[in-house]
Amino acid sequence: MSAFLLVAGIIGRLAAISPLYLAAWCGLAVLSLVLVVSFRSRWGRRRPLYRCAVASLLVHVVLVGLTMTVRLVVGDGGAGTGPPIHVRLMDDIQREGPITLAAPPPLLVPQEVEALAKPASDEIAEVDVRPQPIASEPLPAIEPPPLLAPPEPVSEKKIVLDDAAVAPPLAPSLAAVAEPAKAPEPVTPLENEAASNDPPQNDGNRPVVTDVARNVPPATSPYARRNAPDRLEYAERHGGSVETEAAVSAALEWLAQAQSADGRWDASRYGAGIEMAVQGQDRGGAGADADSGISALALLAFLGAGHSHVAGDYQSTVAKGLEFLMRGQSADGHLASETSLYARMYCHSMASFALAEALAMTRDKRLEPAVRRAVDYSLRAQHPSTGGWRYRPGDMGDTSQLGWQLMSLWSAERAGIKIPAQTWTGAERFLRSVRRGRQGGLASYRADGPASTPMTAEAMYCRQLVGAALGGNSDPRLADEATAALLAAPPEPQRVNLYYWYYGTLALHHQQDSSSETAAAWQSWNSALTQELVNSQLGEGPEAGSWEPNCVWGGYGGRVYSTAVATMCLEVYYRYTTGPADEGWTASRPEVRRLPQ
């Protein structure tokens, strides 16, 4: 009887299923039988992958069929039509009276919860929740932290000025240091004070700053030759000429005309961001949004010829450019946070370089907070083990980024900001990791790559900077091997690489006093350089005074890049000069010992 009822129930269930579903299930059953038979045949055994694929497809079809034909939920599904559900709260702990909870941390209101246990019944238990008044004493008022933290002692993590005292701010918006969570405040225009070389007058609303260099750097400054009356004669004695000085003047005039109203040099407006796939790598048109870095290079060209926001013929131009850089600084000190990945760290170090050099030249305290924040960001971004910098903070590092970072930090140190010794030793460690060649004088882009001439030039200059910072003398065999590599690839019109020429010019110029051989090497390089740059500068038309961006990296940097870098190459004769022993060198020409003849 039970078997009969079971069979009857199954038949009844099948009768309730749609004929379409029954036909589908019958088809699946027949297909399954056919597949099982085929799998055991010779044809099936010779195609194991085919068997797996068909079996997987069959299983999925069966699962789909199940979801369409089988009711997984029986009942009303919680629609609310069933009998009511009763809830009973049970108290497992016998107690008398209500329980008072311990007072929570401040800012939370304490509450007392009383749960009343009732005998088991069909009724829903009642819960009485009654807030109690706060019995604790009032909390003391919390004073907000000051915007300016007191100065801390010198350490390897903090950057402090040589002199602990900070000059009174000329304008609160310039002198204020932003909190970590707050963006820097608007920048008070520097050009308000740039129109005259006279000391500022006290209008009763702000203190007078008296330590700003209103004219030219003193004779003991590394920058003294930039504004010297005999600059042309000095340049001629060191490899320059009337033609190179005329080229510099024409280039600065073009750069001044190319500046936008807000103080920037618009990179994309002058051809930046064109993807050239240099060395076979697609960088996504990097440089189109690199206004901070391109503007910094233009400013360095003006500063290199002695034009600052307080002296020279382009005070307003330089002031607006510096303001643009400071306005773009984020709260963490980054000067190019909105720039794309491949250009971001370059732009930060270049902008830091320009601001630090302007501060070192003029001692204008209004620039100091921005420089300190930028330096602090760079120190945090250095890799703690390799000692290098790359696209993001903490990257392993590459030689190309290293040069710009070291130049910015060296200039900041000349401006009175201490750089920890571990920063320089870290850079030295990175330079050792990219050594190549028989003597180690060649260099690669990264620690695992081959040597290249541009990286050899940059590493040669970086060794000069690090050696001067740490007070040591580098092995002359490294310099000799690097010099030979550079002279084997001198500047020539067939392959214009202004980036390479810039570092090669700095390195060879600043070692020329080491020996008669290094002096001869400089003369050979400088002759090829000046001939190519003077001849290739445009002499007429709307772009007169500029250089075409037809160099290796010109597609990324555009016309402002090529013009600014070429100009700095032609300013090398007087950009940096020696001073007293405690002055050292700024971003170039560290003291070198004279080798035996």
Side-chain angles (χ1 to χ4, degrees):
M1 187 66 180
S2 299
F4 175 78
L5 293 177
L6 178 61
V7 172
I10 294 175
I11 294 174
R13 292 282 184 176
L14 292 176
I17 299 177
S18 170
L20 180 61
Y21 289 159
L22 287 175
W25 279 109
C26 291
L28 286 174
V30 173
L31 178 61
S32 300
L33 182 61
V34 172
L35 290 176
V36 170
V37 173
S38 66
F39 287 168
R40 300 185 62 83
S41 65
R42 180 182 303 176
W43 175 83
R45 288 194 298 270
R46 293 167 60 182
R47 292 173 174 80
L49 292 179
Y50 176 80
R51 292 168 57 188
C52 293
V54 172
S56 175
L57 178 62
L58 177 63
V59 170
H60 283 82
V61 171
V62 171
L63 290 176
V64 171
L66 286 172
T67 59
M68 295 176 62
T69 59
V70 177
R71 289 186 66 185
L72 299 180
V73 178
V74 179
D76 61 7
T81 59
I85 298 174
H86 299 278
V87 179
R88 180 181 298 112
L89 299 182
M90 300 298 297
D91 189 356
D92 295 334
I93 303 176
Q94 299 296 327
R95 62 182 181 273
E96 296 181 359
I99 295 178
T100 303
L101 299 179
L107 302 182
L108 296 177
V109 179
Q111 295 181 345
E112 179 182 276
V113 179
E114 178 181 323
L116 301 178
K118 290 188 176 183
S121 69
D122 293 336
E123 298 295 329
I124 299 177
E126 297 180 358
V127 178
D128 184 14
V129 180
R130 294 172 293 181
Q132 300 297 315
I134 300 176
S136 59
E137 296 181 358
L139 295 175
I142 299 177
E143 294 293 336
L147 288 179
L148 292 177
E152 298 181 16
V154 177
S155 68
E156 293 182 345
K157 294 295 184 181
K158 288 290 183 179
I159 308 303
V160 299
L161 296 178
D162 284 337
D163 49 344
V166 178
L170 184 62
S173 59
L174 275 176
V177 178
E179 293 179 325
K182 185 192 300 182
E185 297 183 8
V187 176
T188 301
L190 294 174
E191 61 178 331
N192 290 350
E193 301 295 337
S196 172
N197 288 336
D198 297 330
Q201 300 298 318
N202 192 346
D203 59 5
N205 296 322
R206 61 184 182 183
V208 174
V209 175
T210 59
D211 62 348
V212 176
R214 288 291 157 184
N215 294 294
V216 299
T220 57
S221 168
Y223 312 98
R225 284 294 175 185
R226 299 183 180 191
N227 299 89
D230 62 341
R231 191 178 80 180
L232 174 59
E233 292 78 3
Y234 185 85
E236 289 178 325
R237 291 197 302 270
H238 292 80
S241 64
V242 173
E243 290 76 17
T244 62
E245 283 295 271
V248 169
S249 298
L252 296 182
E253 182 62 28
W254 182 86
L255 287 171
Q257 297 298 323
Q259 187 181 34
S260 299
D262 64 353
R264 82 180 70 209
W265 278 265
D266 192 324
S268 60
R269 177 184 175 187
Y270 291 97
I274 299 176
E275 182 56 57
M276 305 296 291
V278 178
Q279 299 173 351
Q281 182 175 356
D282 187 343
R283 298 169 179 83
D289 56 355
D291 292 353
S292 55
I294 297 301
S295 299
L297 293 177
L299 286 170
L300 287 166
F302 284 102
L303 294 170
H307 302 285
S308 69
H309 63 290
V310 297
D313 299 331
Y314 296 98
Q315 295 180 40
S316 178
T317 299
V318 176
K320 290 192 297 183
L322 295 173
E323 292 163 16
F324 167 72
L325 295 182
M326 290 190 291
R327 285 197 305 270
Q329 188 174 42
S330 58
D332 62 356
H334 201 295
L335 286 163
S337 57
E338 301 301 323
T339 310
S340 60
L341 174 64
Y342 287 105
R344 186 176 302 147
M345 194 63 78
Y346 282 110
C347 289
H348 170 76
S349 54
M350 291 172 181
S352 302
F353 186 12
L355 289 173
E357 186 160 296
L359 175 60
M361 283 180 64
T362 66
R363 299 292 175 175
D364 187 342
K365 295 296 184 180
R366 293 174 295 177
L367 300 170
E368 181 182 299
V371 175
R372 294 186 66 189
R373 288 193 295 267
V375 167
D376 200 29
Y377 181 89
S378 291
L379 297 184
R380 295 194 305 270
Q382 185 182 27
H383 193 278
S385 299
T386 68
W389 287 267
R390 204 157 190 251
Y391 300 129
R392 292 167 294 239
D395 280 354
M396 298 290 283
D398 63 61
T399 307
S400 183
Q401 297 277 359
L402 184 74
W404 297 103
Q405 291 287 355
L406 294 188
M407 286 189 291
S408 67
L409 295 177
W410 191 268
S411 294
E413 198 160 57
R414 300 283 71 73
I417 297 176
K418 285 189 177 296
I419 306 301
Q422 69 178 21
T423 301
W424 300 109
T425 57
E428 184 180 43
R429 185 165 59 252
F430 181 84
L431 287 169
R432 288 198 302 269
S433 73
V434 295
R435 283 184 182 180
R436 298 292 183 272
R438 177 172 299 179
Q439 304 296 335
L442 309 184
S444 60
Y445 173 60
R446 300 189 69 185
D448 57 352
S452 72
T453 310
M455 294 300 99
T456 296
E458 186 165 354
M460 180 182 180
Y461 182 57
C462 289
R463 285 196 298 269
Q464 295 173 346
L465 292 179
V466 172
L470 296 177
N473 293 317
S474 61
D475 189 339
R477 293 175 298 179
L478 276 66
D480 291 344
E481 187 174 29
T483 299
L486 269 57
L487 293 182
E492 56 184 5
Q494 289 78 15
R495 182 170 175 80
V496 180
N497 188 341
L498 290 171
Y499 186 98
Y500 162 50
W501 296 359
Y502 173 74
Y503 279 108
T505 299
L506 286 173
L508 294 176
H509 177 265
H510 301 310
Q511 72 158 10
Q512 62 176 308
D513 293 334
S514 300
S515 67
S516 58
E517 289 79 8
T518 58
W522 163 246
Q523 293 170 7
S524 175
W525 175 276
N526 182 64
S527 177
L529 174 79
T530 53
Q531 179 178 357
E532 171 56 26
L533 290 183
V534 170
N535 291 340
S536 60
Q537 186 181 32
L538 297 181
E540 58 185 14
E543 310 298 346
S546 68
W547 278 268
E548 295 284 0
N550 59 351
C551 50
V552 173
W553 300 101
Y556 299 107
R559 186 176 296 274
V560 176
Y561 160 81
S562 59
T563 302
V565 176
T567 303
M568 285 190 286
C569 288
L570 295 178
E571 294 170 345
V572 69
Y573 318 108
Y574 46 77
R575 277 186 77 193
Y576 309 100
T577 56
T578 52
D582 59 347
E583 279 286 347
W585 292 87
T586 303
S588 79
R589 197 172 186 177
E591 289 193 56
V592 293
R593 62 183 179 89
R594 187 175 297 278
L595 300 177
Q597 301 295 321

